[in-house]
Amino acid sequence: MNTSTKKSYYQVGGCLPGNSPNYVKRKADIDLYHSLKAGEFCYVLNSRQMGKSSLQVRTIQKLQLEDISCVAIDISEIGNRGVTPEQWYAGILRILENNFNLSEYVNIRTWWRERDFLAPVQRLSEFIETVLLTQINKNIVIFIDEIDSILALDFPVDDFFGFIRGCYNKRAHNREYNRLTFALLGVCTPQDLCQDQSSTPFNIGRAIKLMGFQLDEALPLVGGLREICEHPEAVLKEVLFWTGGQPFLTQKICRLLIENWHSIIDPEVGVKEIVRSKVIHNWEAQDVPEHLKTIRDRIFRKDNRIIRRLGLYQQILLDNFTGIIADNSSEEMELRLSGLIVKRDNQLTVANPIYAEVFNQETIVEELEKLPPYSEKIKPWLNSKGVDKSYLLEGEDLQSALIWAAGKSLRNQDFQFLTASQKLVLDTQTESLELTKIETKKAQAEVTKAQKKAKRWISIGSAILGTSLILSIGFSLLAYQRFKLAQSSREIEQTGTDALLLALFKKSATQSLLEALPKAVSAGKKLKSLVNNNTPLAEYPATRPILALQMILDKLDEQEQFQNNLLQKRKLILSGHQGAVTSVKFSPNQQVLASAGVDGKVVIWNLEGKKIREWQTEQKSVNSIVFHPDGKYVVTAGSNGTVKIWNLLGEKLYVLKISESEINSISISPDGKSLATAGIDIPVKLWNLSWSPITILSKSILADNGLIRTVSFSPEKEFLATLDGKSTIRLWNLSENQFKTLDVQVISMNFSISKPQLLVTATSNGIVQLWQLSRGNLVNDFQTLHLDTKLVNFSPDGEVIATVGIDSIVRLWNLSGRQISQFAFPENVISISFSSDSKKIAVAGSNGKVWLRSVEDLDELLTQSCNFLAEKPNYFLRVVEFCHS
């Protein structure tokens, strides 16, 4: 074999010919061929240069041998910019005419003009039914390649995907459509294929997973390596180590080995030297044909999500050995479509060592530093581990940074930096604190409103004094009471704020905490005197004392000298998982807590933090766990596409295999008779549940697909809410099988059990919103500071909303949007759950821990504080009157 022949054995870029000896047959080849032969609609959506077009060529060849007529439509060839709908749809008809030799049956130009009273998509639909299916009597497969090119058109093409759906639906009443099948290939996600949120989403077909080369699959590549080494399989193994099986890179490195080596003695050394010298070193000059530049352009694209996208990639680089848990966020999907990262067993890792070295930490940091207006200050602040406050922002610099950050999805470090800068404002402007004004704005507004109302009552009372002295006295007395309430509320809120600031920002930690606690108790007792036990939390005239008491007690908990104090029982740490805990739930009867994680394990705990039982689910990673309403069973959803039912002894009672794709979320209806399941590239399905004996039967499929992050039944089972990968919420009316789309893009949602007509949502820029279900309208909203919110949850009593920021802080709010508690955790928070009495909250972490902690009300906080101070006479004397009352 001469050198030229050896070089040509490998093809770098482009579509491989059908008879190419170096074609690598993968599982996707088998899946796509058999699915299309069986008449299934399919889609292959993946990053560029993964071999989609070559897969298409091979599949067409095999189908044609089965006497199936095929056509490949490359959408990019029709064009996009400046193309009208008429031209675009006519272009598709022209391709169908040419490939199926239909010109002898119909004149396309004439046929098209005769139907100019119809919309272009209607003409395409009629052509398929009256011409194509009439003249072609075989089974037909239409491949649509480069489907992502459709997203660049100057007009919406949701109707085109509606047309494809229509072809599928017509099978029910027109048997001819059973002969017609579509296969879509491109670089996008299923939800990208339907931009109109009010229309029915694209949710048909089977997702074909196109993975990188495995060693046993890639053996055809050995043929070109035989003459340059004694052990070609070992050389190929090293190549696959560096490329992660990425087809383009694998073919390229094999070719480089032939071009640059006469013989390879040590496979590891030989391959490593070629990769470093010919691919990684000076990569921009050697990236021919372009591959790495394509990835660079995609991930460095200047948009509102670039900082969060690169921040996520930074985190993956740092934890690349173990990977980080996948959450199917928009940034994750962008990185996966670029090819830079892959998901294996629900963990995100860099796709291969070449990418990790080319797009390394230094490169990402350099790119990030070009972006924010505070780039010169955040770097030294991070280098000081957040200790050196001289680099934090103040005044106009801070305001400019917050304006710049608004609406952007930022990395954790950016939020921490901006948050620390805002806290600095609190520290340096004690009397006129900018952030305090933001946090207490609602309280002050309520006080001002009350004062105005009081003055109005005084005016009314005075005006009618001449006609009714008794009535006047009544009005004036009421006005005076309202005025005093407003005045007291303002004083209480300010005292609580002072206590909080004293605890947070003075240097002598223990002393300042002991100084702050009496202030907080004083404010808390005065607040208690203004409310009775029946006052809803949302109507409290002040909430800052509650927040101050809770945070001060938490900080005292952390002091080493108080380790044996009774305060320590307020929170427990439960350790039972390897890797991230993905889901945590209290049982409805509040007897146990269940946790599940990426280790595929379920652990049952009692509420004293003791492990009762644990078992392996054999579902790879458990993505979601829920209790049956009677508390006797748990249901788990796995990344292997299964749902399993267990009793609390860990005995497997039922297994439901749904698909090969991941099940992200499950929900059981309040009556226990229905199960909803959703995941990646599978429809949202409803199942009938029976419990004597346990059976699960398919009930219905909702018209929803693509990436679904969350499904949840409303407390009265009237609605099912779905949250997809585009942050869109749909409320499905189950009796009518219709949905309404909420006018918001959110990151998380949750129902209220005690207020069944309320749904709470949180946006990525920290806005919490309350929605009325039956009408789908917004009831209330509030801003949770400048922190990126990723989770939201309703307490069962409907009084409290919990949010989780990317800063790993869980914050509790009343329904008026005023903060009442704040719990900080040392690792990424993935899941939270309230106990049924709303008195405890369970928090699942990314490093295998679950925190179980109390959620105290004002009375409980005051009792604990007084008990603690009773042992500190110097401080107790200041609140003895309050504590003894």
Side-chain angles (χ1 to χ4, degrees):
M1 183 184 294
N2 60 40
T3 304
S4 176
T5 304
K6 285 189 288 186
K7 289 180 182 178
S8 65
Y9 189 87
Y10 302 103
Q11 179 172 322
V12 183
C15 181
L16 291 177
N19 60 350
S20 178
N22 63 331
Y23 182 80
V24 175
K25 184 178 178 181
R26 290 171 274 180
K27 185 177 183 294
D29 290 74
I30 300 170
D31 292 344
L32 183 61
Y33 166 68
H34 285 295
S35 297
L36 292 176
K37 186 179 176 182
E40 289 189 71
F41 284 38
C42 297
Y43 50 89
V44 186
L45 305 177
N46 209 316
S47 56
R48 296 205 176 278
Q49 298 173 320
M50 280 293 292
K52 293 185 289 295
S53 297
S54 299
L55 170 64
Q56 174 183 277
V57 169
R58 280 296 180 107
T59 305
I60 288 176
Q61 284 184 337
K62 293 177 67 176
L63 291 173
Q64 288 174 336
L65 291 175
E66 298 285 345
D67 201 29
I68 297 174
S69 295
C70 300
V71 60
I73 301 176
D74 187 335
I75 292 293
S76 63
E77 292 182 0
I78 302 176
N80 42 46
R81 298 301 180 191
V83 177
T84 67
E86 291 251 343
Q87 293 170 327
W88 193 80
Y89 281 99
I92 293 177
L93 258 66
R94 173 65 77 184
I95 294 173
L96 294 175
E97 175 199 27
N98 291 338
N99 281 269
F100 290 115
N101 297 317
L102 298 174
S103 56
E104 57 183 289
Y105 307 111
V106 63
N107 184 308
I108 285 293
R109 289 178 180 271
T110 304
W111 188 95
W112 185 265
R113 291 196 192 102
E114 288 174 350
R115 290 159 179 78
D116 60 4
F117 61 92
L118 297 176
V121 69
Q122 289 179 284
R123 282 179 260 183
L124 174 60
S125 180
E126 184 174 327
F127 182 85
I128 294 292
E129 184 166 330
T130 63
V131 180
L132 183 62
L133 290 176
T134 301
Q135 301 302 329
I136 307 299
N137 296 318
K138 304 175 183 179
N139 286 350
I140 302 168
V141 179
I142 298 176
F143 290 82
I144 304 179
D145 199 5
E146 301 290 345
I147 192 67
D148 47 296
S149 297
I150 210 169
L151 305 177
L153 288 167
D154 294 329
F155 54 89
V157 286
D158 296 315
D159 287 345
F160 177 69
F161 297 105
F163 151 74
I164 295 178
R165 174 195 300 282
C167 291
Y168 181 85
N169 293 337
K170 287 178 181 178
R171 291 179 170 187
H173 53 80
N174 187 341
R175 296 176 57 187
E176 291 299 307
Y177 277 91
N178 288 310
R179 296 192 291 111
L180 177 64
T181 302
F182 287 85
L184 311 183
L185 302 93
V187 184
C188 58
T189 62
Q191 56 268 31
D192 290 332
L193 302 181
C194 195
Q195 300 295 305
D196 184 0
Q197 300 299 322
S198 63
S199 67
T200 305
F202 186 77
N203 69 343
I204 58 173
R206 178 184 177 187
I208 305 297
K209 291 186 177 180
L210 189 59
M211 310 298 289
F213 296 162
Q214 302 299 311
L215 182 59
D216 57 339
E217 298 171 336
L219 291 179
L221 300 177
V222 168
L225 300 172
R226 294 191 187 281
E227 293 192 17
I228 65 167
C229 59
E230 292 183 6
H231 304 287
E233 290 86 356
V235 172
L236 179 60
K237 184 177 180 180
E238 286 300 315
V239 171
L240 294 178
F241 163 76
W242 279 99
T243 67
Q246 207 285 331
F248 177 93
L249 284 177
T250 302
Q251 295 270 2
K252 178 173 183 175
I253 292 175
C254 286
R255 185 164 184 167
L256 287 171
L257 287 170
I258 292 175
E259 290 175 345
N260 293 276
W261 284 84
H262 296 295
S263 64
I264 296 177
I265 299 185
D266 185 329
E268 181 179 351
V269 174
V271 174
K272 180 179 180 180
E273 184 172 338
I274 286 296
V275 169
R276 291 200 177 280
S277 63
K278 299 297 181 182
V279 179
I280 296 175
H281 177 69
N282 194 22
W283 69 266
E284 290 185 333
Q286 301 194 101
D287 190 35
V288 181
E290 286 190 2
H291 175 73
L292 298 173
K293 290 176 184 174
T294 303
I295 296 174
R296 177 200 62 191
D297 294 344
R298 191 173 185 104
I299 67 170
F300 290 167
R301 183 177 69 255
K302 298 296 190 294
D303 58 23
N304 283 343
R305 306 197 75 82
I306 180 173
I307 295 180
R308 186 69 184 274
R309 182 167 63 245
L310 296 183
L312 174 60
Y313 178 63
Q314 270 190 310
Q315 187 180 354
I316 294 170
L317 274 176
L318 289 171
D319 298 325
N320 199 42
F321 181 74
T322 57
I324 69 169
I325 188 169
D327 62 3
N328 299 316
S329 64
S330 299
E331 295 82 14
E332 175 192 321
M333 299 308 296
E334 289 175 14
L335 290 172
R336 286 169 61 186
L337 283 177
S338 74
L340 186 57
I341 68 169
V342 293
K343 184 168 76 166
R344 300 186 180 100
D345 295 334
N346 209 40
Q347 298 289 307
L348 301 177
T349 58
V350 183
N352 58 58
I354 293 176
Y355 294 163
E357 293 211 21
V358 171
F359 302 104
N360 53 36
Q361 284 283 2
E362 184 179 345
T363 301
I364 302 304
V365 169
E366 182 180 338
E367 189 67 24
L368 283 169
E369 287 178 350
K370 301 175 185 176
L371 298 171
Y374 47 81
S375 57
E376 293 298 321
K377 291 194 173 185
I378 189 173
K379 186 175 181 179
W381 182 78
L382 291 172
N383 290 338
S384 75
K385 300 187 183 302
V387 173
D388 192 340
K389 296 183 179 181
S390 65
Y391 294 104
L392 294 176
L393 305 177
E394 296 183 77
E396 292 184 4
D397 290 341
L398 176 58
Q399 293 302 316
S400 299
L402 294 177
I403 293 171
W404 175 86
K408 292 183 174 65
S409 190
L410 306 181
R411 6 164 237 176
N412 291 15
Q413 297 100 310
D414 292 88
F415 281 107
Q416 291 164 2
F417 179 71
L418 293 177
T419 303
S421 296
Q422 293 174 78
K423 288 180 178 178
L424 180 64
V425 174
L426 287 172
D427 194 18
T428 56
Q429 300 181 20
T430 306
E431 296 301 326
S432 57
L433 302 165
E434 295 297 326
L435 189 55
T436 301
K437 288 180 181 179
I438 296 174
E439 291 182 341
T440 59
K441 185 176 179 181
K442 294 183 180 67
Q444 291 174 343
E446 292 173 11
V447 171
T448 302
K449 182 178 178 181
Q451 288 175 328
K452 290 181 178 178
K453 198 168 186 178
K455 292 177 180 177
R456 188 165 64 251
W457 283 108
I458 291 173
S459 299
I460 294 173
S462 300
I464 62 173
L465 179 61
T467 57
S468 177
L469 181 60
I470 296 175
L471 192 59
S472 171
I473 293 172
F475 272 122
S476 298
L477 181 59
L478 178 59
Y480 177 75
Q481 290 172 341
R482 290 177 181 267
F483 184 82
K484 290 297 290 182
L485 175 62
Q487 193 88 357
S488 298
S489 301
R490 184 187 293 274
E491 293 172 359
I492 290 170
E493 197 78 352
Q494 185 60 53
T495 304
T497 298
D498 291 344
L500 190 56
L501 291 171
L502 181 63
L504 292 178
F505 299 111
K506 293 296 181 182
K507 293 182 180 180
S508 179
T510 303
Q511 182 179 347
S512 62
L513 290 171
L514 293 175
E515 290 287 341
L517 188 56
K519 282 181 172 288
V521 170
S522 173
K525 280 292 186 176
K526 289 177 180 177
L527 173 61
K528 180 63 182 172
S529 68
L530 297 182
V531 298
N532 56 50
N533 292 331
N534 298 320
T535 303
L537 187 58
E539 296 180 11
Y540 272 43
T543 59
R544 190 49 54 86
I546 304 176
L547 177 62
L549 286 166
Q550 175 264 311
M551 292 188 68
I552 293 169
L553 289 178
D554 273 8
K555 285 187 171 294
L556 286 168
D557 276 353
E558 298 166 3
Q559 301 295 312
E560 186 175 351
Q561 59 187 296
F562 303 131
Q563 287 298 304
N564 297 320
N565 193 277
L566 54 85
L567 292 180
Q568 295 298 313
K569 298 181 180 179
R570 299 168 65 235
K571 54 187 176 182
L572 301 170
I573 300 176
L574 318 181
S575 299
H577 290 274
Q578 298 295 318
V581 182
T582 54
S583 186
V584 62
K585 292 288 190 304
F586 285 94
S587 63
N589 55 18
Q590 203 171 305
Q591 293 181 351
V592 296
L593 175 74
S595 61
V598 296
D599 54 5
K601 188 191 297 183
V602 170
V603 182
I604 304 296
W605 314 83
N606 66 22
L607 298 194
E608 284 70 50
K610 299 294 179 62
K611 186 186 299 183
I612 299 175
R613 195 168 302 274
E614 67 176 58
W615 66 87
Q616 274 291 339
T617 65
E618 298 180 350
Q619 291 177 288
K620 292 186 178 179
S621 169
V622 179
N623 293 337
S624 180
I625 187 168
V626 296
F627 274 94
H628 183 269
D630 66 9
K632 296 179 181 179
Y633 310 98
V634 292
V635 184
T636 58
S639 62
N640 64 348
T642 63
V643 171
K644 297 184 179 183
I645 299 178
W646 314 81
N647 63 21
L648 298 190
L649 298 176
E651 296 171 338
K652 183 169 56 183
L653 306 178
Y654 197 91
V655 178
L656 173 65
K657 178 68 175 178
I658 295 179
S659 76
E660 298 298 326
S661 300
E662 291 199 28
I663 307 299
N664 283 341
S665 179
I666 52 177
S667 180
I668 296 179
S669 60
D671 60 8
K673 295 180 180 179
S674 297
L675 170 72
T677 61
I680 300 175
D681 300 335
I682 58 174
V684 175
K685 293 185 179 181
L686 296 180
W687 309 81
N688 283 325
L689 288 181
S690 300
W691 298 94
S692 298
I694 296 178
T695 53
I696 302 179
L697 299 175
S698 181
K699 180 180 181 181
S700 61
I701 297 177
L702 298 183
D704 211 347
N705 200 21
L707 165 62
I708 304 297
R709 298 207 301 257
T710 309
V711 291
S712 182
F713 283 102
S714 65
E716 295 180 341
K717 198 186 172 181
E718 181 182 0
F719 295 96
L720 181 77
T722 64
L723 173 60
D724 65 23
K726 285 191 169 182
S727 303
T728 301
I729 288 184
R730 293 184 176 87
L731 290 176
W732 296 87
N733 187 314
L734 297 180
S735 61
E736 301 174 3
N737 195 25
Q738 294 181 345
F739 70 84
K740 63 184 71 172
T741 302
L742 297 189
D743 185 22
V744 66
Q745 286 192 316
V746 306
I747 201 73
S748 181
M749 66 176 185
N750 196 257
F751 283 108
S752 166
I753 296 175
S754 62
K755 295 179 171 60
Q757 283 297 311
L758 281 185
L759 175 73
V760 64
T761 63
T763 65
S764 62
N765 59 353
I767 297 177
V768 172
Q769 298 173 313
L770 293 172
W771 302 84
Q772 208 280 338
L773 293 183
S774 59
R775 296 189 300 274
N777 64 310
L778 184 64
V779 177
N780 189 26
D781 64 353
F782 59 85
Q783 174 72 51
T784 63
L785 305 182
H786 300 279
L787 298 171
D788 196 3
T789 304
K790 63 178 184 178
L791 286 175
V792 67
N793 209 331
F794 236 129
S795 64
D797 63 10
E799 290 289 309
V800 175
I801 295 170
T803 62
V804 179
I806 63 170
D807 54 2
S808 301
I809 293 178
V810 177
R811 294 172 172 84
L812 303 187
W813 313 80
N814 68 12
L815 300 192
S816 296
R818 292 157 69 182
Q819 189 177 348
I820 57 172
S821 295
Q822 179 169 306
F823 311 132
F825 297 94
E827 60 189 69
N828 187 29
V829 175
I830 295 176
S831 176
I832 55 174
S833 177
F834 279 99
S835 60
S836 56
D837 64 359
S838 304
K839 291 293 187 180
K840 292 184 182 296
I841 187 169
V843 179
S846 59
N847 289 331
K849 291 184 175 60
V850 175
W851 288 271
L852 182 62
R853 68 157 301 143
S854 300
V855 179
E856 302 107 333
D857 60 20
L858 179 58
D859 282 338
E860 292 165 328
L861 290 168
L862 286 169
T863 299
Q864 292 179 21
S865 299
C866 286
N867 289 342
F868 178 83
L869 288 173
E871 300 177 3
K872 312 289 182 297
N874 291 341
Y875 299 97
F876 185 66
L877 290 174
R878 305 182 193 179
V879 291
V880 62
E881 179 183 353
F882 292 114
C883 286
H884 284 168
S885 62

